[in-house]
């Protein structure tokens, strides 16, 4: 039986992990642990570096276990990271597997609806297989 090659771990900290998927996209998996703004920044900066290094503008974002973004995280992501990721790494589409926690879902909705006219597309899903199918159609 043939199996697909495994994703390669790029970075990991208390916020979660970033992986390069051999199918041609980046993965971010947010963990359940409390995190600092610096840990969130490090995770997302490694995500953009991976997109830039591989030339992959697509990200599968698993937030199933994630705790809500803080107001500081939301501000940094929408005002600094997203514009830079689009401009410098070519970030174009994100498929989000939503958290089970309603407050996490609301915090993510704030980010995805405040992209300030950036050429990026987000879509939210309840399961990873549907998210992955959508993401691969964005190539």
């Amino acid at each position: 039986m043939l199996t697909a090659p495994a994703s390669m771990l790029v970075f990991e900290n208390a916020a979660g992990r970033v992986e390069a998927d051999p199918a041609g996209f980046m993965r971010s998996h947010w963990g359940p642990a409390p995190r600092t703004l610096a840990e969130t920044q490090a995770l997302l900066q490694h995500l953009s570096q991976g997109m830039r290094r591989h030339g992959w503008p697509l990200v599968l974002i698993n937030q199933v276990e994630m705790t809500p973004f803080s107001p500081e995280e939301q501000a940094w992501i929408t005002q600094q990271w997203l514009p830079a990721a689009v401009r410098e790494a070519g970030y174009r589409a994100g498929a989000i597997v939503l958290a089970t926690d309603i407050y996490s879902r609301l915090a993510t909705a704030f980010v995805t609806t405040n992209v300030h006219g950036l050429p990026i597309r987000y879509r939210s899903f309840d399961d990873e297989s549907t998210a992955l199918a959508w993401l691969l159609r964005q190539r």
Side-chain angles (χ1 to χ4, degrees):
M1 175 178 180
L2 294 176
T3 59
S7 295
M8 181 183 75
L9 182 65
V10 171
F11 178 78
E12 188 169 25
N13 69 5
R17 68 182 181 273
V18 172
E19 298 172 343
D21 193 291
F25 61 91
M26 299 301 295
R27 290 177 176 263
S28 67
H29 184 97
W30 293 82
R35 62 183 179 271
T36 65
L37 174 60
E39 290 163 337
T40 295
Q41 290 171 328
L43 183 117
L44 290 173
Q45 288 166 341
H46 280 86
L47 179 61
S48 356
Q49 289 170 3
M51 284 188 283
R52 189 171 45 249
R53 181 181 316 113
H54 294 288
W56 297 341
L58 310 176
V59 181
L60 181 63
I61 306 154
N62 187 317
Q63 296 182 341
V64 172
E65 300 178 310
M66 185 182 86
T67 56
F69 288 125
S70 69
E72 293 80 16
E73 288 173 311
Q74 290 173 320
W76 181 81
I77 292 167
T78 58
Q79 296 167 15
Q80 295 180 39
W81 183 77
L82 271 174
V86 168
R87 183 179 60 252
E88 299 166 11
Y91 189 19
R92 195 166 49 82
I96 303 168
V97 184
L98 290 170
T100 54
D101 176 75
I102 189 66
Y103 295 109
S104 296
R105 286 178 178 234
L106 291 171
T108 295
F110 174 85
V111 170
T112 59
T113 58
N114 283 282
V115 294
H116 305 294
L118 293 171
I120 187 165
R121 199 166 171 207
Y122 283 109
R123 186 143 174 219
S124 299
F125 302 88
D126 288 322
D127 66 272
E128 188 169 300
S129 61
T130 309
L132 180 56
W134 178 85
L135 188 68
L136 294 176
R137 287 192 305 270
Q138 304 311 301
R139 292 183 183 175

